[in-house]
PDB file of all heavy atoms in Angstrom:
ATOM      1  N   GLY B 231      49.624 -53.906  71.596  1.00 90.00           N
ATOM      2  CA  GLY B 231      48.394 -53.339  72.203  1.00 90.00           C
ATOM      3  C   GLY B 231      48.150 -53.954  73.533  1.00 90.00           C
ATOM      4  O   GLY B 231      48.378 -55.160  73.743  1.00 90.00           O
ATOM      5  N   TRP B 267      37.789 -66.443  83.612  1.00 59.00           N
ATOM      6  CA  TRP B 267      38.454 -67.395  82.853  1.00 59.00           C
ATOM      7  C   TRP B 267      37.933 -67.504  81.431  1.00 59.00           C
ATOM      8  O   TRP B 267      38.679 -67.570  80.440  1.00 59.00           O
ATOM      9  CB  TRP B 267      38.277 -68.824  83.523  1.00 59.00           C
ATOM     10  CG  TRP B 267      38.930 -69.897  82.799  1.00 59.00           C
ATOM     11  CD1 TRP B 267      38.349 -70.932  82.140  1.00 59.00           C
ATOM     12  CD2 TRP B 267      40.353 -70.140  82.672  1.00 59.00           C
ATOM     13  NE1 TRP B 267      39.321 -71.714  81.589  1.00 59.00           N
ATOM     14  CE2 TRP B 267      40.534 -71.254  81.840  1.00 59.00           C
ATOM     15  CE3 TRP B 267      41.443 -69.365  83.096  1.00 59.00           C
ATOM     16  CZ2 TRP B 267      41.796 -71.724  81.545  1.00 59.00           C
ATOM     17  CZ3 TRP B 267      42.726 -69.855  82.799  1.00 59.00           C
ATOM     18  CH2 TRP B 267      42.854 -71.027  81.961  1.00 59.00           C
ATOM     19  N   VAL B 271      39.910 -67.234  77.809  1.00 63.00           N
ATOM     20  CA  VAL B 271      39.883 -68.232  76.737  1.00 63.00           C
ATOM     21  C   VAL B 271      39.369 -67.556  75.441  1.00 63.00           C
ATOM     22  O   VAL B 271      39.977 -67.725  74.377  1.00 63.00           O
ATOM     23  CB  VAL B 271      38.989 -69.391  77.166  1.00 63.00           C
ATOM     24  CG1 VAL B 271      38.731 -70.353  75.953  1.00 63.00           C
ATOM     25  CG2 VAL B 271      39.537 -70.132  78.304  1.00 63.00           C
ATOM     26  N   LEU B 274      42.009 -65.328  73.948  1.00 66.00           N
ATOM     27  CA  LEU B 274      43.096 -66.071  73.254  1.00 66.00           C
ATOM     28  C   LEU B 274      42.584 -66.602  71.877  1.00 66.00           C
ATOM     29  O   LEU B 274      43.259 -66.622  70.920  1.00 66.00           O
ATOM     30  CB  LEU B 274      43.673 -67.171  74.157  1.00 66.00           C
ATOM     31  CG  LEU B 274      44.350 -66.621  75.395  1.00 66.00           C
ATOM     32  CD1 LEU B 274      44.658 -67.744  76.317  1.00 66.00           C
ATOM     33  CD2 LEU B 274      45.611 -65.860  74.988  1.00 66.00           C
ATOM     34  N   CYS B 344      55.238 -68.561  85.263  1.00 89.00           N
ATOM     35  CA  CYS B 344      55.043 -67.584  86.301  1.00 89.00           C
ATOM     36  C   CYS B 344      56.318 -67.563  87.179  1.00 89.00           C
ATOM     37  O   CYS B 344      56.860 -66.431  87.419  1.00 89.00           O
ATOM     38  CB  CYS B 344      53.844 -67.868  87.091  1.00 89.00           C
ATOM     39  SG  CYS B 344      53.324 -66.624  88.236  1.00 89.00           S
ATOM     40  N   LEU B 384      60.923 -82.400  87.392  1.00 94.00           N
ATOM     41  CA  LEU B 384      61.595 -82.098  86.155  1.00 94.00           C
ATOM     42  C   LEU B 384      62.891 -81.254  86.366  1.00 94.00           C
ATOM     43  O   LEU B 384      63.931 -81.535  85.866  1.00 94.00           O
ATOM     44  CB  LEU B 384      60.676 -81.237  85.236  1.00 94.00           C
ATOM     45  CG  LEU B 384      59.493 -81.972  84.686  1.00 94.00           C
ATOM     46  CD1 LEU B 384      58.641 -81.065  83.832  1.00 94.00           C
ATOM     47  CD2 LEU B 384      59.914 -83.166  83.855  1.00 94.00           C
TER      48      LEU B 384
END
Side-chain angles (χ1 to χ4, degrees):
Chain B
W267 180 249
V271 173
L274 294 171
C344 191
L384 295 177

